Amino acid sequence: MSEIEVEIDGNLVKANQGDSIISIADREGIEVPRFCYHKKLSVAANCRMCLVDVEGVPKAQPACSTPVASGMKINTNNDKAKFAQKAVMEFLLINHPLDCPICDQGGECELQDVAMEYGSDVSKFNLGKRIVPDKGIGALIQTDMTRCIHCTRCVRFGAEVAGIVEMGGTGRGEGVKIEPFLTEGIQSELSGNMIDVCPVGALTSKPFRYEARTWQMNAVPSVARHDLVGSNIFTQAYRGKVKRVVARDNETVNETWISDRDRFSYEGLNHESRSLKPKIKIEGQWQETDWQEALKFAIDGIKNNVKNPDQLGVLGSKHSSLEEFYLMQKLARKFGSENIDFRLDQSQLSKGSSLESTITLSEIESIDHALIIGSYPRLEQPMINHRIRKASLDGASVNTINSKEFDFNFKTKFDLIAAPQKLLEELQSILKSLHIKTKKELPKDLSKVSPIEIHNHIVDDLIASKNGVIVLGEHLNSNPNSIAITNLISQIALVSDFKIANLTLSGNALSAEKANFIPGENGKDAISMFNDNSKAFLLMGVDCEYDFLDSKLASDCFDIEDVFVISLSSYEGQSVFKNADVILPMASFYETSGTHINFDGLVQSFSASIKSPGDSKPGWKIIKVMADLLDLDGFDYVDSTQVKDEALQSSKAEARFDDANPQSIDDSKVTTHWQYTPYASDSVTRRAKALQDSNIGMINRAYLSKMTAQKIGLSDDDLYLGVPVSIEDTVADDYVFVHTNQARKI
């Protein structure tokens, strides 16, 4: 693109041919008022607030849609430009209700700000203001559409970024309204960003409504820990409580967007089940106590029950901080136990870490092909899915291998539907076809595999791709052959020269691996701890009914009379009261300092946004004191920064899958895959009311094919494991996909 020279407000500046006037003005720090323009959205040019004077052009021109030309002279603030801008401002205020005192947008409203500069206290128009009835669009976004100025930012965001066309303009002239096409509410997992892009108070946060004024709140930069991205956020607190979470710009991480899970999960902080006081169980009865007594009870329980260090098991939530992971595994190893694990929802576990991703977030946008295996990234990892969608819009082709067809927000070319018990065979067929088409030596263990047409089509795309990625999803975690499948995927990636995007982990799992929060050489994984002779458990942030693949197995083990369980948790509940012997109230990740390692390996530290409630304490401090009471050396930390520095210097375990042997599975047996909605992913999120009341949060269906339904004797809306049934032709045979917000029955 050729470089040209233009003059703007008397200054000569360089620009690229085709650049818009507004982009040059922004780059040079020149203020041009705007409403409809947004740097991440297409140009609409319908508000006209950005009118500027271009020499030689009789009428003022919209800066957002006017490309520059060599020698162009632009004035953004001369009399002509100012007159045009003020005229537009007067027009926009004709129907605006001017209800700033009760509007949640007050204090950060673009209309309010621009009106101060370009508005007038007198109008030529004396007509009555129009009133627009509101349509509800769900539990997350509050609508006040009388305030709408028809900038269409929300419409364009839905169509261009979220990938779901749910909002649009209806009517003509004075009757134009921005509203949802359906009244069931917004279905997007990124819908909260419509609040951010709205320049007025037409779309605001429903949970935040009338809670506080923006200037009253203390904004703390932080990091969301719900997924692998670690989106940058501001937590805004008032009178010691988080009232709102908004996006913080970081182009390499989350750009300007955050998921609804990141935005609204803070509501869970004030849930009635918060653990506020230490509790101990004596003769089956729970008693509140102080920290000194609770810690003594916990340490005595370990010493009395654990005769051999190998009898201690340590299990942690993948949403813990790097510091918590590191100190807890250090405590276990200093005590003499290598039984450490965070992979509570996986069916097959290796001694090493997971398969590493070989692509960065920003690189995903430039791929020309993606093969998605066992994943619904839109709900699992919404911000990574956003990157895949951008690549798709740029021409990248996408093929999928899943057990159910999912509602992707980008086009897919080939969708291979296979039950989990047949996935290994399908991947073997793809690998064989790939070896044949690339004329490489065929592995002996593939001799009996027979690729069919769809395998060959997928392989053709693999071969044609110059910059492709294989995406591994969370559905692989529960597959009984997950390690062997991962091995196969690694081979496919090697032969096809594809990169890997491993989404099988979530939350802060990469910090867990960095901190070596996995079994040592002679240690037991989570499943082995339950099946072997473990006498005591340290649980960190674990909800038994949600976090374990086999919650009944875990609960039965914890419930054994001579098994002693210590729960470090931010919440209490039925399962905690049932399974634990000591509850040590732990601060949530909004209430403590810590570190998150994201998909790119980027280390992001954050500070506490608010003080933890009641007597709850930061997890790393609780673990440090426990180590001191156990007379373990090496825990002389003053603050969490020291813990972080030490943890980052530790050596991460390498991925090891060479010991994986495929298991024979009865193909005729119906396999059930239980997947939670994204709003039941962690202890804080699953207690956030607005998220649970949203369309995605309320998903509660068991999907199965007609053949499977006949086989197990079910009809539509019957109950399967307590979940209503939907019979669809988009589901593999001999497979039931349970997508729910409900906890597994213990």
Side-chain angles (χ1 to χ4, degrees):
M1 193 173 291
S2 59
E3 191 175 71
I4 60 174
E5 193 174 72
V6 300
E7 182 182 308
I8 182 167
D9 291 345
N11 300 313
L12 290 175
V13 299
K14 300 290 185 181
N16 293 318
Q17 188 78 39
D19 284 351
S20 65
I21 294 174
I22 202 168
S23 66
I24 297 168
D26 287 349
R27 190 190 68 200
E28 297 297 320
I30 298 171
E31 180 187 350
V32 176
R34 82 288 304 270
F35 292 117
C36 68
Y37 175 79
H38 191 282
K39 63 182 180 181
K40 291 290 184 178
L41 304 176
S42 63
V43 174
N46 53 5
C47 77
R48 318 308 277 188
M49 193 65 227
C50 65
L51 291 174
V52 296
D53 178 29
V54 177
E55 190 174 287
V57 180
K59 294 183 178 180
Q61 299 296 299
C64 62
S65 61
T66 305
V68 295
S70 182
M72 180 181 281
K73 294 183 178 181
I74 306 155
N75 278 292
T76 68
N77 60 2
N78 65 1
D79 290 343
K80 184 178 178 180
K82 288 278 188 182
F83 179 83
Q85 292 160 357
K86 288 184 177 184
V88 171
M89 188 74 254
E90 184 180 12
F91 176 76
L92 290 175
L93 293 177
I94 291 173
N95 281 312
H96 196 275
L98 303 178
D99 56 348
C100 302
I102 63 163
C103 179
D104 280 328
Q105 195 85 349
E108 55 187 9
C109 176
E110 293 177 48
L111 182 72
Q112 199 175 55
D113 293 341
V114 175
M116 289 294 294
E117 177 72 21
Y118 301 93
S120 173
D121 58 353
V122 178
S123 176
K124 304 181 187 71
F125 301 92
N126 295 319
L127 304 173
K129 296 181 182 289
R130 74 170 193 160
I131 298 174
V132 181
D134 291 318
K135 282 189 178 181
I137 59 174
L140 304 178
I141 302 175
Q142 178 66 45
T143 58
D144 291 278
M145 302 311 293
T146 300
R147 300 170 183 162
C148 179
I149 61 170
H150 308 148
C151 71
T152 69
R153 281 188 184 181
C154 58
V155 177
R156 285 175 284 146
F157 172 84
E160 299 166 12
V161 180
I164 303 177
V165 182
E166 296 179 289
M167 300 281 283
T170 62
R172 295 177 63 86
E174 182 78 3
V176 170
K177 293 184 289 186
I178 303 296
E179 58 186 357
F181 296 123
L182 303 172
T183 57
E184 285 81 4
I186 301 296
Q187 307 287 329
S188 172
E189 66 286 353
L190 302 176
S191 67
N193 293 291
M194 291 183 180
I195 299 168
D196 288 349
V197 300
C198 181
V200 297
L203 303 177
T204 54
S205 169
K206 186 171 283 188
F208 176 66
R209 190 165 178 86
Y210 303 142
E211 286 288 319
R213 301 304 242 164
T214 185
W215 57 84
Q216 296 174 313
M217 297 185 292
N218 180 39
V220 179
S222 191
V223 177
R225 297 216 312 260
H226 307 289
D227 57 31
L228 285 172
V229 173
S231 295
N232 288 201
I233 57 175
F234 284 109
T235 58
Q236 299 178 332
Y238 177 59
R239 294 181 176 176
K241 292 186 176 182
V242 176
K243 293 295 184 180
R244 192 171 64 166
V245 171
V246 296
R248 179 162 58 97
D249 288 3
N250 189 324
E251 196 62 31
T252 60
V253 179
N254 56 293
E255 301 179 35
T256 61
W257 319 119
I258 57 175
S259 69
D260 288 351
R261 179 168 53 186
D262 295 337
R263 185 181 300 274
F264 298 106
S265 62
Y266 72 88
E267 272 197 303
L269 295 175
N270 303 317
H271 195 267
E272 60 187 10
S273 65
R274 280 302 302 264
S275 182
L276 304 176
K277 297 279 187 183
K279 290 184 174 71
I280 58 177
K281 186 188 288 182
I282 299 178
E283 297 181 353
Q285 299 298 313
W286 283 102
Q287 299 179 10
E288 282 190 2
T289 186
D290 56 26
W291 271 102
Q292 185 176 356
E293 180 63 26
L295 287 167
K296 182 180 183 302
F297 190 87
I299 300 304
D300 288 346
I302 293 175
K303 291 179 177 179
N304 295 334
N305 281 57
V306 178
K307 307 306 179 186
N308 183 320
D310 190 51
Q311 294 177 331
L312 175 67
V314 176
L315 302 170
S317 163
K318 54 194 173 186
H319 298 279
S320 305
S321 68
L322 171 68
E323 292 81 355
E324 291 163 349
F325 282 129
Y326 181 75
L327 283 189
M328 187 62 91
Q329 67 83 30
K330 185 176 180 179
L331 181 150
R333 290 188 162 98
K334 288 280 186 178
F335 186 79
S337 174
E338 294 284 342
N339 308 330
I340 307 160
D341 214 343
F342 73 95
R343 303 162 300 175
L344 313 182
D345 59 350
Q346 297 185 34
S347 64
Q348 271 196 325
L349 299 166
S350 66
K351 294 291 186 183
S353 64
S354 63
L355 182 66
E356 288 193 0
S357 298
T358 55
I359 192 170
T360 65
L361 289 169
S362 56
E363 288 172 344
I364 292 175
E365 295 181 20
S366 61
I367 60 169
D368 60 7
H369 181 71
L371 175 59
I372 298 174
I373 304 174
S375 180
Y376 187 18
R378 200 187 122 197
L379 297 190
E380 292 170 22
Q381 301 287 336
M383 297 309 300
I384 293 178
N385 182 79
H386 165 61
R387 303 270 187 175
I388 299 173
R389 170 173 160 78
K390 289 175 75 174
S392 174
L393 292 174
D394 275 346
S397 62
V398 181
N399 295 328
T400 70
I401 306 174
N402 281 309
S403 300
K404 181 186 183 301
E405 285 186 18
F406 293 112
D407 185 21
F408 295 103
N409 57 357
F410 45 76
K411 291 182 179 178
T412 59
K413 190 174 180 182
F414 297 107
D415 296 303
L416 179 85
I417 305 301
Q421 60 268 36
K422 296 182 179 179
L423 181 57
L424 186 69
E425 183 182 338
E426 301 287 355
L427 291 174
Q428 287 173 334
S429 297
I430 288 172
L431 183 59
K432 183 172 182 176
S433 175
L434 186 59
H435 274 87
I436 293 172
K437 288 179 176 287
T438 57
K439 298 180 180 179
K440 295 186 178 179
E441 185 178 352
L442 194 67
K444 293 181 180 178
D445 57 349
L446 299 180
S447 58
K448 298 181 180 180
V449 179
S450 301
I452 59 176
E453 185 178 9
I454 191 167
H455 301 132
N456 294 326
H457 285 318
I458 291 173
V459 168
D460 288 340
D461 282 354
L462 291 175
I463 295 171
S465 171
K466 293 182 173 59
N467 183 24
V469 64
I470 298 177
V471 180
L472 289 69
E474 292 181 15
H475 291 204
L476 300 181
N477 287 338
S478 60
N479 196 296
N481 279 318
S482 58
I483 296 179
I485 287 170
T486 303
N487 233 343
L488 271 175
I489 292 171
S490 299
Q491 295 179 53
I492 293 170
L494 182 65
V495 177
S496 60
D497 196 24
F498 264 47
K499 293 179 178 177
I500 293 286
N502 187 359
L503 311 185
T504 61
L505 304 175
S506 60
N508 201 18
L510 295 178
S511 284
E513 292 193 341
K514 177 61 182 175
N516 281 322
F517 202 90
I518 52 178
E521 189 65 32
N522 300 312
K524 303 169 188 172
D525 57 45
I527 298 171
S528 300
M529 293 181 212
F530 299 141
N531 292 321
D532 292 345
N533 192 30
S534 298
K535 295 298 183 182
F537 286 91
L538 274 170
L539 307 182
M540 183 170 66
V542 174
D543 278 349
C544 291
E545 68 268 50
Y546 281 94
D547 292 336
F548 292 104
L549 182 66
D550 190 339
S551 55
K552 187 177 185 307
L553 175 66
S555 180
D556 288 348
C557 178
F558 297 149
D559 210 31
I560 297 173
E561 187 174 349
D562 62 346
V563 172
F564 189 80
V565 180
I566 303 169
S567 175
L568 281 69
S569 177
S570 301
Y571 297 92
E572 300 169 348
Q574 182 180 355
S575 67
V576 177
F577 287 135
K578 179 177 183 291
N579 296 316
D581 294 282
V582 187
I583 300 174
L584 303 177
M586 185 172 66
S588 78
F589 50 74
Y590 289 97
E591 300 154 354
T592 182
S593 58
T595 300
H596 179 278
I597 300 178
N598 81 343
F599 181 84
D600 288 349
L602 177 67
V603 177
Q604 300 185 103
S605 294
F606 50 87
S607 302
S609 301
I610 55 172
K611 185 177 181 288
S612 57
D615 288 342
S616 59
K617 305 291 183 185
W620 72 270
K621 289 186 178 181
I622 300 173
I623 301 165
K624 172 189 164 8
V625 175
M626 290 181 67
D628 292 339
L629 293 173
L630 286 167
D631 297 321
L632 306 178
D633 61 348
F635 288 83
D636 300 324
Y637 305 102
V638 177
D639 56 45
S640 62
T641 304
Q642 293 175 306
V643 184
K644 178 195 75 172
D645 293 342
E646 188 175 306
L648 292 175
Q649 293 171 7
S650 61
S651 299
K652 177 185 171 182
E654 295 182 355
R656 292 212 321 256
F657 302 104
D658 52 345
D659 57 347
N661 294 311
Q663 296 184 17
S664 61
I665 304 173
D666 184 0
D667 287 350
S668 64
K669 187 178 179 182
V670 175
T671 299
T672 300
H673 173 71
W674 190 286
Q675 179 164 353
Y676 292 115
T677 72
Y679 306 152
S681 59
D682 60 87
S683 59
V684 178
T685 303
R686 62 181 68 118
R687 291 170 172 88
K689 185 178 185 305
L691 286 177
Q692 304 314 316
D693 291 342
S694 69
N695 284 354
I696 293 175
M698 291 192 294
I699 293 174
N700 188 38
R701 304 297 292 184
Y703 302 93
L704 60 164
S705 70
K706 186 177 181 181
M707 187 275 276
T708 308
Q710 291 173 345
K711 191 172 188 176
I712 58 182
L714 291 174
S715 303
D716 271 317
D717 293 325
D718 286 350
L719 294 182
Y720 180 83
L721 299 178
V723 180
V725 163
S726 286
I727 300 173
E728 298 183 358
D729 59 4
T730 61
V731 189
D733 290 336
D734 294 320
Y735 170 71
V736 182
F737 175 63
V738 180
H739 202 187
T740 181
N741 58 359
Q742 304 297 311
R744 293 184 178 93
K745 305 299 181 185
I746 296 180

